Structures are given as structure tokens and as C-alpha cells.
Amino acid sequence: MVSTEAFVCSFSENNLPQNAVFTWKSPSNIALVKYWGKTEPQIPKNASISFTLNNCNTVTTVSFEQKEPSENQNIEILFERKPAPSFLPKIRQFIDRILPYSPYLNYYHLKISTENTFPHSSGIASSASGMAALAMCFMSLEKQMNLDISDDYFYQKASFLARLGSGSAARSIKGNLVVWGEHPQIPKSSNLYGIEFPFQVHSNFKDYQDTILLVDKGEKQVSSTVGHNLMHAHPFADNRFKQANQNLSVLSQVLQNGDLSEFIRIVESEALSLHAMMMTSNPYFILMKTNTLQIIEKIWEFRKSTNTHICFTLDAGANVHVLYPFKEKKKVKSFILKELVPFCQKNQYICDRLGQGSELML
Ligand code: DP6
């Protein structure tokens, strides 16, 4: 088992480049088995698995400029080319957390310029793609100082660092199915970083589609931090963590044997279980909107009457991810446009599909 010590970078001050600039594009991901509940430091209470997306990305450039370690670190942040000081506390906290593993960061002032390829206030989580893209930029600097590090280590440590920024970011480094969290039936799975799903995936899941219906584009009603915390004193928490691990056992088989009906059963049940946990916490929350439920009902009717394999999943919010196989795209897409998009805020939706993971741009 890999331990946290494996991720401590030792370096020589003589090897530090004076300046460096890297740009990475990192995708968002959608969990099929959900991560909801954690302990310090960002250790999940159960294993989770996600589809890496292709079109919802954060593109981040980090410019490093050398400084004395004793000198205060300047961090300048631009979001969509405009100063964004409100991002600073989260990024400082992230850097403080990863400094024991990447101490070279203390030798640099940072200029971070970031933007999303999806609308900012769309309710799509940008913390996963955002933290992943930052972690990739930091790892590129580490690689420049130490050319010997292997690709495996490079991506594993990137996921390890990203996790310390946001748990789900651990699953935004690689494509296209990523497991994060130790699980007895997934070899080499770890609580510390995400791994690519280690088995052959059935062709039914090749190029799987995800149309994201933007039902509510507002600020998240419950932040992830608050939501995860509510799991601590939750009366059903232990059973929920067991259920998630069992669902991952079944889903692992399903992804290999291509059983789409079983896929739908697990994925929809996971989404509803996540929301059920929020409805039964203290305080309690309903994160769906009326239109979320209308969409779910429409999906169920359509599936029944057409025998297609359309299904839904949800994040901790009101938006709906509509999942379906590539070969049903034509039929499902016209249903979505006609019957589901009218339930979206300003008719907005995003067409996405399985993606390959983070990509170096510069
Ligand atoms: C509902 O990764 O946003 O999307 O670790 O506190 O940053 P932090 O939480 P975050 O939680 C994601 C929760 C989820 C389910 C999932 O992606 O697995």
C-alpha cells in the first residue's frame, strides 16, 4: 500500500527553475457511486467511482516566479482574465495543505489564471476540475525539477494533491472511469488518490453520453463542506457507507458485463440515496427543485415506453445529469430537447460525454 510519505518531494535549492509557466486543462466528473462523508485529511468514508467528462473543463495557467522562502508568498488570481481575490482563501488553504508534500512551492510567487469552459454559475462543480488543474500545474513544476519521476507517480501524486483541495478532484486527473477510496474488490484502490478503473470496460459504456440539464443555476444551497459534515452525526450514515461500497461491488461487475438495466438501477439509486441523506440530516435539506422531479418522471416514462437505457444522476443540487449509451443518442437527444429542456432555467443544458482526463496545454 502506498503511504503519504511516498508523496513528499525532496529537492535541491539549486535545481529550482527561476521562472516557469504551465497550462493544464482538467475535466469535471460525475460520480456514479457518490462520495458523501469524510474524515480528516480528506479521507472518504466510502469508495466512489465517476465518469470523467469531456467538455466541462477548467483551464488553468500557473506562472511561477522564484522568491526567498522567508519572503511572503504573493498569489495573484485571475478568473476569466479579471482579478478574483475571492478565490484566494481556498487556494491558500490548498497550498498550506500540500506544502508538506510539495515544499518547493514556498520558493515561488504564483500568478494563477483560470477559466471554465462551462458557465461559471451553472451549478456545475468547478472545485473538482479547478483543483485538479492546479495540482497538474504544480506537478509539472515538480517534474521539471526532477525529470526522473515516472508518469505513474506524476499522475498519482497529482490526484493525491488534488484530493487535498477537493475530494472529488482526485477523480478529475485521469479518464474515463476513476475509482477513489479503498475497496476490497478494486485492486490498488486507495483513500489517498484516484485510480483508473482497473478492469476491461464493456463496449456498451464506450462514449457514454451525459446531457446536463441546468435546472437551477444559483449558488449551491448547501456547500460540500456543510454536507459532508452533516454525515458525522447522521443516524443512517454507517449503513449509507456500507451501501455505497456494496453498490460499487455490483457496479464494477456491471461495467465489465455491460448490463445496462443493472447500471440504471445502481446509478439512480445512488443519486436518490445521496439526496435522501440530505433530507434526513439535522438540519435537513431538499436539494431538488420541482423541475428536477418533473424531469425524473419524464425520464422514467420515456424509458418505459421506448425500452431505451436513459437514466439520471444528481449532484448535491437540483441539476440533472442524463446518462445514455452512444448508440441511443439520436432517439434520446430528440426526447431531451423536446421534453426535458423546457424544465431548464433559460432552457440551458450542456452536452457532454466520457472523456480522457487532464491535458497539458502549454
Ligand atoms: C455530491 O468533492 O465537492 O459531488 O471534498 O469537501 O471538496 P470536498 O467535497 P466535494 O464533494 C462532492 C460530492 C458529490 C459526490 C461526488 O462527487 O462523489
Side-chain angles (χ1 to χ4, degrees):
M1 205 168 62
V2 181
S3 73
T4 50
E5 274 94 88
F7 297 112
V8 178
C9 169
S10 59
F11 65 100
S12 141
E13 289 190 7
N14 304 330
N15 270 350
L16 296 174
Q18 194 67 35
N19 295 291
V21 183
F22 303 99
T23 300
W24 278 87
K25 178 169 93 176
S26 290
S28 188
N29 69 74
I30 178 67
L32 304 172
V33 171
K34 310 288 181 183
Y35 145 62
W36 200 242
K38 61 177 169 179
T39 51
E40 280 293 324
Q42 295 283 95
I43 301 298
K45 288 293 230 169
N46 61 263
S48 58
I49 186 167
S50 52
F51 276 156
T52 305
L53 297 181
N54 192 64
N55 301 337
C56 291
N57 294 291
T58 298
V59 180
T60 298
T61 300
V62 181
S63 311
F64 299 87
E65 189 195 311
Q66 213 179 355
K67 70 170 185 70
E68 288 302 320
S70 55
E71 202 183 332
N72 274 344
Q73 183 178 47
N74 295 334
I75 305 179
E76 195 184 319
I77 305 178
L78 301 179
F79 177 65
E80 291 174 347
R81 289 176 286 275
K82 292 188 202 84
S86 63
F87 288 28
L88 205 57
K90 219 169 169 196
I91 289 182
R92 278 225 186 268
Q93 189 189 32
F94 177 45
I95 290 175
D96 287 346
R97 278 201 133 156
I98 64 174
L99 221 43
Y101 308 101
S102 301
Y104 51 84
L105 289 175
N106 208 14
Y107 290 72
Y108 291 95
H109 296 301
L110 308 177
K111 195 166 164 189
I112 300 169
S113 176
T114 188
E115 54 195 46
N116 297 328
T117 60
F118 48 91
H120 179 49
S121 56
S122 59
I124 305 291
S126 55
S127 68
S129 51
M131 292 298 174
L134 261 183
M136 296 307 307
C137 291
F138 297 159
M139 283 310 294
S140 280
L141 179 68
E142 185 167 327
K143 173 101 187 169
Q144 186 163 330
M145 289 166 358
N146 182 357
L147 295 171
D148 296 341
I149 61 180
S150 68
D151 266 10
D152 280 353
Y153 180 82
F154 178 84
Y155 286 105
Q156 200 174 69
K157 181 165 175 184
S159 175
F160 172 87
L161 295 179
R163 178 195 111 244
L164 292 169
S166 176
S168 53
R171 300 187 312 238
S172 273
I173 302 298
K174 286 283 194 159
N176 45 35
L177 267 166
V178 178
V179 176
W180 168 46
E182 241 170 81
H183 190 282
Q185 271 133 45
I186 311 279
K188 304 216 169 127
S189 54
S190 169
N191 285 337
L192 302 180
Y193 48 82
I195 61 162
E196 286 171 273
F197 183 66
F199 304 109
Q200 177 85 39
V201 177
H202 193 277
S203 58
N204 279 350
F205 297 104
K206 195 169 178 291
D207 215 5
Y208 224 71
Q209 305 289 304
D210 178 6
T211 303
I212 309 164
L213 303 176
L214 305 178
V215 172
D216 182 17
K217 307 202 299 132
E219 272 288 295
K220 270 192 184 173
Q221 194 188 332
V222 181
S223 72
S224 300
T225 312
V226 170
H228 286 289
N229 273 337
L230 286 172
M231 293 298 278
H232 288 311
H234 197 297
F236 308 145
D238 285 341
N239 281 328
R240 162 61 199 150
F241 303 140
K242 272 191 210 137
Q243 176 202 39
N245 283 326
Q246 280 159 5
N247 279 342
L248 181 49
S249 299
V250 181
L251 193 61
S252 168
Q253 294 303 316
V254 164
L255 291 166
Q256 296 171 67
N257 66 26
D259 183 344
L260 289 174
S261 306
E262 194 63 357
F263 175 82
I264 291 169
R265 188 184 69 77
I266 303 272
V267 168
E268 292 191 345
S269 161
E270 270 293 313
L272 295 178
S273 297
L274 167 72
H275 281 252
M277 295 310 285
M278 293 307 287
M279 286 188 205
T280 50
S281 60
N282 180 16
Y284 43 80
F285 295 95
I286 298 180
L287 303 179
M288 292 186 213
K289 298 282 182 206
T290 314
N291 283 359
T292 313
L293 277 173
Q294 303 259 37
I295 289 170
I296 292 175
E297 278 181 11
K298 288 266 179 201
I299 288 175
W300 284 349
E301 273 167 31
F302 179 77
R303 185 161 79 220
K304 209 164 161 195
S305 64
T306 58
N307 285 321
T308 48
H309 297 92
I310 181 173
C311 73
F312 71 86
T313 188
L314 308 165
D315 267 336
N319 295 335
V320 183
H321 288 249
V322 186
L323 303 177
Y324 46 99
F326 177 72
K327 63 172 182 243
E328 296 175 6
K329 183 170 173 178
K330 209 167 156 215
K331 201 168 181 178
V332 171
K333 203 67 191 291
S334 66
F335 158 71
I336 292 177
L337 293 182
K338 205 159 134 240
E339 303 278 344
L340 303 185
V341 168
F343 291 109
C344 297
Q345 216 174 342
K346 298 196 189 138
N347 288 336
Q348 282 188 317
Y349 63 98
I350 300 171
C351 294
D352 214 331
R353 61 188 162 91
L354 280 192
Q356 299 308 317
S358 296
E359 212 182 300
L360 180 64
M361 310 295 284
L362 262 181

